[in-house]
Amino acid sequence: MQITSRNIDLRVDDSLMRVYIAAPKPSGVYPGIVFYSDIYQLGGPIIRLANYLAGYGYVVAAPEIFHRIEPIGQVIEPNDLGRMQGNDDARRTAIESYDRDARAVIEFFKAESSVAADKIGTLGFCIGGHLAFRTAFQSEIKASVCCYPTGVPSGKLGQGVADTIQRVSEIKGEMLVVFGTRDPHTPENDRQTIKNELEKANIPHKIVSYEAEHTFMRDDGYRYDPVVTTAAWSEIVEFLERVFAA
């Protein structure tokens, strides 16, 4: 399916939050996906992932997660300095600010005629996987995809300690969690803790693991694995189609 793209601005906490929108070109009403980047914000690899998903029939809204700190349109370079910059931006962002950003995108979807208000989900990568996990606490979220989510058991996300793992029972929709078994940022203990908490809270979920490293879906780095990425996308697309068809 062909897509269109545009940028919009949403005001959150008196900060202008740029949101990249990718949507199917044919007119219609589609599910909406709150789409979170990694710490490098909306560079080419993340935009390509958003566009890919939109082509399957989703309105994808990707906010700049560090809009309170970085200039509008800032792409953080995926190198040593960029990693320090992105991690510092994350550390300086209040956890409740991330939550308000999620709320703003959800409200945008609910006002959009091209989005089915009862079919809203979320998807994210790395820190964005953690943000997608938290966005699942919002009552409108029917499906959540968390790709190699970092810091969920430890609470490492922003200022202070995030209470994400303690709030698993608040999830109302279904979860798909994607891990790489060679990812040092999501070690075995963390992966098992997430699995145990989802099971304890009786949250409908599926966890898939691949022999891959962290950020294996970014197509610009040495850890990129196209075969595993294709397999992960197959799981993601099937999951979303099933949940939203129900």
Side-chain angles (χ1 to χ4, degrees):
M1 184 182 294
Q2 290 183 304
I3 67 167
T4 63
S5 63
R6 61 191 171 109
N7 290 288
I8 65 166
D9 60 276
L10 300 177
R11 287 280 174 180
V12 189
D13 301 338
D14 201 33
S15 175
L16 191 152
M17 180 172 71
R18 172 214 174 189
V19 183
Y20 175 80
I21 307 291
K25 187 174 181 179
S27 61
V29 179
Y30 301 95
I33 303 293
V34 186
F35 189 96
Y36 292 109
S37 71
D38 52 27
I39 59 170
Y40 304 113
Q41 297 213 110
L42 303 180
I46 295 296
I47 294 297
R48 287 189 286 275
L49 290 166
N51 291 346
Y52 184 92
L53 181 58
Y56 278 90
Y58 298 93
V59 178
V60 178
E64 289 184 329
I65 62 175
F66 300 137
H67 62 90
R68 296 170 181 82
I69 299 170
E70 298 290 350
I72 297 165
Q74 179 70 39
V75 174
I76 300 173
E77 291 299 318
N79 53 31
D80 289 343
L81 291 178
R83 185 175 65 254
M84 287 186 276
Q85 180 181 349
N87 284 329
D88 188 57
D89 286 350
R91 180 185 60 80
R92 293 164 57 197
T93 301
I95 294 164
E96 58 269 23
S97 294
Y98 293 125
D99 297 339
R100 288 194 290 272
D101 292 348
R103 190 73 245 160
V105 178
I106 291 169
E107 292 300 325
F108 163 76
F109 277 152
K110 291 167 70 175
E112 275 289 295
S113 60
S114 62
V115 176
D118 61 341
K119 294 184 178 182
I120 299 176
T122 184
L123 186 153
F125 304 88
C126 191
I127 187 177
H130 191 156
L131 293 175
F133 204 107
R134 287 187 70 83
T135 300
F137 301 151
Q138 304 290 332
S139 62
E140 294 91 346
I141 300 299
K142 307 300 182 188
S144 302
V145 180
C146 306
C147 297
Y148 32 87
T150 54
V152 175
S154 68
K156 185 178 179 181
L157 179 64
Q159 291 178 5
V161 179
D163 58 356
T164 309
I165 201 68
Q166 288 80 28
R167 296 176 59 189
V168 170
S169 62
E170 296 179 32
I171 296 170
K172 303 295 190 296
E174 296 193 37
M175 301 282 290
L176 172 65
V177 188
V178 178
F179 288 123
T181 58
R182 293 189 282 122
D183 180 357
H185 302 290
T186 60
E188 174 61 27
N189 285 345
D190 282 12
R191 300 197 298 269
Q192 191 62 45
T193 297
I194 291 172
K195 178 178 183 291
N196 291 344
E197 292 302 317
L198 288 170
E199 290 177 351
K200 187 190 307 182
N202 293 315
I203 306 301
H205 69 280
K206 182 175 183 179
I207 295 177
V208 293
S209 298
Y210 302 99
E211 188 178 348
E213 299 183 51
H214 192 57
T215 69
F216 66 80
M217 296 180 77
R218 277 189 70 104
D219 64 8
D220 66 339
Y222 69 93
R223 292 175 290 190
Y224 175 55
D225 189 321
V227 173
V228 175
T229 295
T230 299
W233 269 126
S234 179
E235 288 280 358
I236 291 166
V237 170
E238 180 182 351
F239 170 75
L240 294 175
E241 286 180 349
R242 179 183 59 76
V243 173
F244 289 128

